[in-house]
Amino acid sequence: MLLLVATVVSATQAPFPPPDLTQRAGFDQRLGASIPAHAGFRDVNGKPVDLHTLANGKPLLLALGYYRCPNLCDVVLKGMAHSLAGLDLRPGRDFEVAFVSIDPAETPADARHAQAMLARMQPKASVPRWHFLTGDQPSITALARAVGFRYFYDENLHQYAHAAGLVAITPDGKVAQYFFGVSWPPASLRLALVHASQGELGSVIDRLVLLCCGYDPSTGRYSLAIGRTMQVLGVAFVLALGGWLMWLRRRARA
């Protein structure tokens, strides 16, 4: 009973989030925007790196958060690992993955610790090939603004308030797509990476699927585009009919 009362009292004394939370924290979609080439970060070994060099001509899957986050970021990282473990595309080979801390006080040691823990929990996600980065405030601010990531430090809660999601970036550093939340279908992430690769990844089937599926910016997901599907089926029918008629004509001549 005493433990129950203590729990209720502590819960009632916990500070409430600010009323303007959704205005101060969230995503502003900036499709086509360029990530800053001058923004420098540090990897888990403290080595300077920028996202353009890190991507090395491949599409980049980017997430922002912080390593000491008591709630959301751990769920985001686990969601990323779970989704990427289900892909036939591989980090470091076909695309790059970067998690960037929004807390300038965090260090490469924090990033290294987070990477090691996630790698033990999700061995199939190739976490050692991911990039866990830290940086100074100007670089963090420049990147966050470029991808439309709004966040702030809540003095009452003593933690950062921020959104959850992924950003797919093209090899030339432009924002291609957004994925919101903490769980994403592997098939959708694959399509996003194929689209962001600008023709470097995927098969003919992937491109046909992209024709038939439309990306919905409001939800950050792919949905079946009826109009496109009908167009593709219509073209396929015309080609099939034309081939059949040519076969009949050749047979009649024979």
Side-chain angles (χ1 to χ4, degrees):
M1 181 64 73
L2 288 175
L3 288 174
L4 178 60
V5 172
T7 302
V8 172
V9 171
S10 63
T12 57
Q13 291 178 346
F16 290 97
D20 58 348
L21 176 63
T22 55
Q23 285 73 42
R24 299 174 64 186
F27 266 113
D28 297 321
Q29 295 195 62
R30 295 178 178 169
L31 298 173
S34 298
I35 60 174
H38 64 275
F41 299 94
R42 293 165 293 173
D43 64 14
V44 294
N45 298 313
K47 179 182 177 181
V49 65
D50 64 82
L51 294 180
H52 281 281
T53 303
L54 178 150
N56 193 28
K58 296 187 285 290
L60 172 67
L61 204 59
L62 172 70
L64 291 91
Y66 64 112
Y67 303 113
R68 301 176 192 172
C69 178
N71 300 306
L72 188 57
C73 297
D74 185 52
V75 181
V76 169
L77 285 169
K78 290 178 181 176
M80 290 173 63
H82 177 74
S83 295
L84 296 184
L87 293 183
D88 57 345
L89 303 176
R90 290 295 168 216
R93 184 192 71 185
D94 304 306
F95 64 100
E96 300 293 343
V97 181
F99 185 90
V100 179
S101 172
I102 57 175
D103 184 355
E106 291 192 321
T107 67
D110 295 312
R112 193 162 53 248
H113 177 70
Q115 184 180 39
M117 287 190 62
L118 189 63
R120 286 195 298 269
M121 297 174 62
Q122 296 283 352
K124 296 182 179 180
S126 303
V127 176
R129 306 297 299 272
W130 299 17
H131 305 277
F132 289 71
L133 309 179
T134 55
D136 56 23
Q137 191 61 66
S139 295
I140 295 169
T141 300
L143 177 61
R145 287 178 177 172
V147 300
F149 184 83
R150 291 183 280 110
Y151 70 98
F152 67 97
Y153 185 77
D154 192 316
E155 295 289 349
N156 294 323
L157 296 175
H158 303 292
Q159 58 185 273
Y160 285 91
H162 60 87
L166 304 178
V167 185
I169 297 174
T170 65
D172 57 352
K174 296 186 183 301
V175 175
Q177 291 177 209
Y178 291 84
F179 288 89
F180 307 124
V182 297
S183 177
W184 313 278
S188 294
L189 289 184
R190 189 182 193 283
L191 284 178
L193 290 169
V194 170
H195 172 70
S197 74
Q198 299 174 330
E200 294 300 319
L201 294 178
S203 61
V204 175
I205 299 299
D206 291 315
R207 286 161 179 76
L208 288 175
V209 172
L210 284 171
L211 283 175
C212 294
C213 293
Y215 172 69
D216 186 354
S218 64
T219 62
R221 295 183 181 274
Y222 284 97
S223 60
L224 185 65
I226 300 300
R228 291 184 181 180
T229 303
M230 295 304 295
Q231 290 177 357
V232 172
L233 291 176
V235 171
F237 175 76
V238 170
L239 291 175
L241 180 61
W244 181 68
L245 291 174
M246 290 180 63
W247 178 79
L248 288 178
R249 183 176 298 176
R250 290 176 180 176
R251 186 179 179 183
R253 289 176 180 177

